[in-house]
């Protein structure tokens, strides 16, 4: 039996209705790209709209989500972590159990199927942690696309295992040496490739950012996370959860979990990378510490200097190390529907160990941010309350980072 | 009549195609730009395009990206760029200056404050690469209200409906991107440009500039017969980079290259 909605919710317009036709979430989103890309993004929008309503496309997507990705991912009650925190019951949405080890594959698969429908032969992608690159390289192998992944040189060093995985899958990994040599520069480079090769190339963006329709389309491909979690918690507990927690880099795993619950009386928490602390300036907390601006095709919150130049960011987790965030999150922040907060590198590391030791589940450092926040939140809640945290990925890729932080040479 | 309109009218009367060199402001450092601007005019430039450096220039190839990085390393801000235009204007009241850049630094400055400062400095047009007409308000309106021309790009991927819309929003001139790619790319197809320009001409009476990928005098000469203006960027910025540590040679080499472009374009029209 689900809890009745708050009175106000039923009188409000649905929060799930956006974006508008121009791709806007309030003042955010839109299309801010050079004219050369305006035609291609419009073609993409039209193709996506068609596939979204096409039963064959949806059936093919559902079949692969089930048989290839392994969906639905389990909703797991973390009993020992719950006992440790002495508060709300903590459920983990196990996106780490998906094929390739993170939520990223939901979106990569959807876009690859769309690319196939559009007759493209080449997939390109940007990647930070390497998870989206691996997911794209994987679906490229699955469908027989050529695949090129752009990755900042700095990230290639800290995610060496994923670089090798992509190569094994047949992808070409191109090191990006411009700017800060991280995710944002990889995105710049992928956009440049796309402009030049738009006739045969599909750009698989890895998060809910970029020009319209990307933020909407990537959200839709990840919305299965929240739709499943909603059904799973209803059947396990007979009611909706009290709170959801997810880490926010670009925001895809978070919006994927949140979207099905936007109109419900459920508190939503997005956790950004606090790095070495907000005061240090070394962080990637665009929503918490940034301001509105335009980058990578959309208007959103950005980390930038006084002159509007994009700042270098820092996080122990490459997947959160991004100076922007998806425009839907910018809007959800402004209307107060989601609370955005930060977790530092060292708090994330502690949570990495806590989950590993208490549950035998090694989280990605990105997901460890959400776990750390949950461990602060749970003790403030009653034992009969429920939190669902999105365990967006598994931690194998981060073992070297964790070890080197502890002074261990592997 | 705006300085841009006047310059294009003069060129037309003289049977000459306007030569529009691009440099990134503050590259290789802040003191280099104004002498470069004067050198470009002396070598035969009709309009100057001055790049506002941005940390993430997604529509630019490696040459202009690196120019942005050099300019930003020396802390070049939009305020510095406007100061350069003001200094240039003190000696040259006739050559139009178009700023080319990305939206975020303009917004950080404040759009109203920017337009006021740009008008006072003597800027004539503003091309914001990542701002299509759909997102052009309020900037385009503010520019027009101060007599500045909002310049827009047209691309090989622009369909007829967009072409019409862009030409209705643009002023001063429209800038046809000659290839599917970033600035400095190598795949310019002159015959394809010619075909596309015919449909642009049918849509607008604004002067039409062509750029992106014009690397040498030969290509500039070929385009001179079909466009009102030829924009040359990476080929000039690449020479600036090559001679960045020999300042006197830099002005000479860049000047010589622009003169070569000028002569080839004039010969093609003769
Ligand atoms: C496991 C994992 N979680 C989270 C993220 C952050 O991305 P997003 O905020 O789009 O979910 C990444 C990005 O690489 C990731 O690999």
């Amino acid at each position: 039996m689900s809890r009745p909605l708050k009175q106000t919710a039923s009188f409000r317009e649905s929060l799930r209705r956006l974006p508008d036709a121009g791709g806007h979430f309030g003042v955010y989103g839109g299309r801010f790209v050079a004219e050369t890309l305006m035609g291609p993004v419009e073609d993409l929008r039209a193709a996506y709209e068609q596939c979204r309503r096409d039963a064959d496309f949806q059936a093919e997507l559902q079949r692969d989500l089930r048989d290839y990705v392994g969906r639905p991912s389990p909703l797991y009650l973390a009993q020992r972590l719950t006992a440790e925190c002495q508060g709300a019951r903590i459920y983990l949405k196990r996106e780490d159990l998906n094929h390739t080890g993170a939520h990223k594959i939901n979106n990569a698969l959807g876009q690859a199927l769309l690319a196939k429908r559009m007759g493209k032969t080449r997939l390109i992608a940007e990647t930070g942690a390497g998870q989206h690159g691996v997911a794209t390289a994987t679906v490229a192998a699955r469908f027989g696309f050529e695949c090129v992944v752009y990755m900042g040189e700095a990230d290639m060093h800290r995610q060496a295992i994923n670089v090798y995985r992509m190569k094994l899958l047949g992808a070409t990994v191109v090191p990006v040496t411009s700017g800060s040599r991280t995710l944002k520069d990889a995105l710049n480079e992928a956009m440049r490739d796309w402009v030049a090769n738009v006739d045969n190339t599909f750009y698989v963006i890895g998060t809910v950012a970029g020009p319209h329709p990307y933020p909407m389309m990537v959200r839709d491909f990840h919305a299965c996370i929240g739709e499943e979690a909603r059904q799973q918690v209803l059947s396990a507990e007979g009611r909706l959860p009290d709170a959801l927690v997810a880490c926010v880099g670009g925001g895809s795993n978070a919006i994927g979990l949140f979207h099905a619950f936007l109109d419900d009386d459920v508190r939503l928490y997005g956790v950004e990378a606090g790095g070495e602390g907000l005061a240090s300036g070394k962080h990637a907390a665009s929503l918490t510490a940034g301001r509105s601006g335009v980058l990578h095709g959309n208007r959103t919150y950005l980390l930038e200097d006084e002159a509007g130049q994009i700042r270098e960011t820092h996080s122990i987790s490459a997947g959160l190390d991004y100076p922007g965030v998806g425009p839907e999150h910018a809007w959800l922040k402004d209307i107060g529907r989601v609370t955005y907060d930060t977790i530092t590198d060292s708090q994330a590391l502690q949570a990495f160990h806590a989950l590993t030791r208490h549950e035998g589940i090694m989280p990605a450092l990105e997901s460890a941010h959400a776990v750390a926040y949950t461990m602060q939140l749970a003790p403030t809640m009653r034992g009969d309350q429920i939190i669902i945290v999105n365990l967006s990925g598994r931690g194998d890729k981060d073992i070297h980072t964790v070890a080197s932080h502890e002074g261990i040479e592997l | 009549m705006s300085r841009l309109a006047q310059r294009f009218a003069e060129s037309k009367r003289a049977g000459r195609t306007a030569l529009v060199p691009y440099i990134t402001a503050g590259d290789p450092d802040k003191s280099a730009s104004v002498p470069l601007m004067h050198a470009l005019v002396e070598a035969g430039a009709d309009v100057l395009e001055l790049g506002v450096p941005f940390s993430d220039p997604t529509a630019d190839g490696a040459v202009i990206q690196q120019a942005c990085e050099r300019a930003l390393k020396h802390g070049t801000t939009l305020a510095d760029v406007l100061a350069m235009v003001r200094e240039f204007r003190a000696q040259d009241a006739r050559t139009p200056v178009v700023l080319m850049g990305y939206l975020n630094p303009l917004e950080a400055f404040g759009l109203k404050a920017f337009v006021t400062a740009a008008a006072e400095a003597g800027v004539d047009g503003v091309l914001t690469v990542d701002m299509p007409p759909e997102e052009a308000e309020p900037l385009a309106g503010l520019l027009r209200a101060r007599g500045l021309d909002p310049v827009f790009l047209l691309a090989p991927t622009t369909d007829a409906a967009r072409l019409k819309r862009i030409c209705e929003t643009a002023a001063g001139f429209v800038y046809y991107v000659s290839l599917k790619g970033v600035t400095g790319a190598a795949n310019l197809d002159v015959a394809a440009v010619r075909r596309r320009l015919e449909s642009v001409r049918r849509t607008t009476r604004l002067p039409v500039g062509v750029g992106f990928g014009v690397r040498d005098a030969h290509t500039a000469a070929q385009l001179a017969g079909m466009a009102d203006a030829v924009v040359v960027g990476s080929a000039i910025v690449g020479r600036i980079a090559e001679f960045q540590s020999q300042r006197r040679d830099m002005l000479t080499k860049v000047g010589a290259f622009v003169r070569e472009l000028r002569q080839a374009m004039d010969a093609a029209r003769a």
Side-chain angles (χ1 to χ4, degrees), chain B residues 222-235:
Chain B
Q222 285 180 299
L223 295 173
M226 54 184 101
D228 299 299
V230 175
V231 186
V232 183
S234 297

Side-chain angles (χ1 to χ4, degrees), chain A residues 102-104 129 131 206-207 247-254 319-320 364 366-367 392-393 397:
Chain A
H103 69 291
K104 298 284 182 188
Q131 286 304 119
T207 192
C247 67
V248 177
S252 67
N253 87 88
L320 302 185
E366 291 81 13
S367 324
S392 57
K397 68 182 176 63

Side-chain angles (χ1 to χ4, degrees), chain B residues 19 216-217 220 232 236 257-266:
Chain B
L19 173 56
D216 52 30
V232 183
I236 290 171
F257 178 59
V258 172
R259 228 165 259 121
E260 198 190 318
L261 295 170
R262 174 82 273 161
Q263 281 161 8
M265 287 166 58
D266 289 348

Side-chain angles (χ1 to χ4, degrees), chain B residues 21-248:
Chain B
Y22 165 99
I23 59 171
T24 301
D27 169 37
D29 60 45
K30 291 187 210 175
S31 68
S33 298
V34 176
L36 266 170
M37 291 167 80
H38 288 304
L40 293 170
V41 174
E42 209 172 295
D46 300 288
V47 176
L48 296 180
E49 221 175 87
L50 191 59
V52 180
F54 182 46
S55 53
D56 296 79
T58 45
D60 286 299
V63 170
I64 292 177
Q65 285 170 49
Q66 284 156 18
C68 285
E69 286 184 19
R70 286 190 295 273
L72 292 174
K73 203 170 70 206
H74 293 104
T76 307
T77 62
L78 181 53
D80 294 328
V81 179
L82 294 173
M84 289 169 197
V85 177
R86 199 174 312 119
E87 192 186 331
F88 172 79
R89 274 280 165 262
Q91 285 181 51
D92 186 330
R94 291 170 40 83
T95 309
V97 175
V98 175
L99 297 187
M100 177 166 180
Y102 296 78
L103 185 55
N104 205 52
L106 311 189
E107 289 201 353
F109 194 96
L111 291 182
K112 269 194 193 135
F114 161 68
V115 171
T116 305
E120 282 167 8
V123 169
D124 301 287
V126 177
L127 198 182
T128 314
V129 179
D130 57 349
M131 186 187 76
E134 287 84 344
E135 303 284 357
E137 294 309 326
L139 182 57
L142 290 168
L143 287 169
R144 250 185 250 103
R146 286 299 298 246
L148 273 67
D149 292 323
V151 178
F152 287 89
L153 297 173
L154 301 170
T157 48
T158 306
D159 66 19
R162 289 191 59 75
L163 177 62
K164 189 158 174 290
R165 172 160 191 186
I166 295 168
C167 291
E168 283 163 8
T169 315
F173 66 105
V174 287
Y175 183 149
Y176 180 70
V177 175
S178 60
L179 48 82
K180 291 182 190 170
V182 293
T183 55
N187 50 344
L188 196 159
D189 173 350
V190 173
V193 172
R194 183 191 303 279
R195 280 194 302 277
R196 289 289 307 194
L197 288 189
E198 283 164 13
S199 67
V200 176
R201 295 286 190 197
R202 282 194 299 271
T203 312
T204 183
R205 300 179 64 168
L206 284 172
V208 182
V210 175
F212 276 48
V214 184
R215 329 179 92 184
D216 52 30
H218 177 65
T219 317
Q222 285 180 299
L223 295 173
M226 54 184 101
D228 299 299
V230 175
V231 186
V232 183
S234 297
I236 290 171
V237 175
R239 282 169 172 80
I240 292 174
E242 192 182 339
F243 293 96
Q244 56 183 295
S245 49
Q246 303 134 268
R247 194 55 50 93
R248 182 128 357 108

Side-chain angles (χ1 to χ4, degrees), chain A residues 101-104 127-133 162 183 206-208 218 222 247-255 317-321 325 329 363-367 390-394 397-398:
Chain A
H103 69 291
K104 298 284 182 188
T127 197
Q131 286 304 119
H132 173 61
N162 273 344
L183 180 55
T207 192
V208 282
V218 176
H222 281 303
C247 67
V248 177
S252 67
N253 87 88
I255 205 74
S317 63
L320 302 185
D321 208 347
V325 64
H329 287 288
L365 283 173
E366 291 81 13
S367 324
N390 201 1
L391 204 69
S392 57
R394 67 175 187 227
K397 68 182 176 63
D398 295 314

Side-chain angles (χ1 to χ4, degrees), chain A residues 41-62:
Chain A
V41 295
E42 180 51 28
D43 291 347
L44 174 62
R45 187 204 59 76
Y48 173 62
E49 281 303 334
Q50 208 175 32
C51 286
R52 181 149 93 158
R53 284 189 242 101
D54 182 281
D56 290 341
F57 179 88
Q58 289 302 334
E60 195 177 355
L61 177 60
Q62 292 311 318

Side-chain angles (χ1 to χ4, degrees), chain A residues 186-367:
Chain A
L187 220 151
N188 292 342
E189 217 42 48
M191 284 177 83
R192 292 180 187 119
D193 179 316
W194 197 31
V195 172
N197 300 295
V198 75
D199 293 333
N200 71 344
T201 298
F202 189 105
Y203 179 16
V204 184
I205 294 189
T207 192
V208 282
H212 180 60
Y214 281 102
M216 169 183 80
M217 176 174 73
V218 176
R219 175 198 71 195
D220 293 349
F221 286 138
H222 281 303
C224 54
I225 302 172
E227 284 156 12
E228 287 171 11
R230 203 167 189 284
Q231 281 183 10
Q232 288 165 324
V233 73
L234 284 175
S235 67
E237 296 274 355
R239 66 181 186 87
L240 291 179
D242 297 278
L244 305 179
V245 182
C247 67
V248 177
S252 67
N253 87 88
I255 205 74
L257 178 65
F258 295 168
H259 201 253
F261 295 90
L262 282 179
D263 291 331
D264 296 317
D265 184 18
V266 174
R267 284 184 286 157
L268 308 176
Y269 297 94
V271 185
E272 296 192 292
E276 294 175 15
L278 293 186
S280 73
K282 291 186 169 178
H283 58 79
S286 11
L287 287 163
T288 312
R291 65 176 185 195
S292 170
V294 172
L295 179 70
H296 292 155
N298 63 100
R299 181 183 300 286
T300 187
Y301 276 84
L302 299 175
L303 291 169
E304 58 177 50
D305 68 14
E306 280 302 298
Q309 307 298 341
I310 306 308
R311 271 179 38 195
E312 295 200 6
T313 53
H314 164 83
S315 168
I316 191 171
S317 63
L320 302 185
D321 208 347
Y322 180 63
V325 64
E328 191 163 11
H329 287 288
W331 173 69
L332 289 168
K333 174 189 162 77
D334 281 9
I335 64 167
R337 177 64 187 96
V338 180
T339 304
Y340 296 93
D341 207 337
T342 60
I343 283 292
T344 64
D345 288 349
S346 62
Q347 289 170 318
L349 275 170
Q350 278 172 27
F352 173 91
H353 287 296
L355 193 68
T356 304
R357 289 298 189 89
H358 292 302
E359 297 290 347
I361 295 173
M362 207 175 281
L365 283 173
E366 291 81 13
S367 324

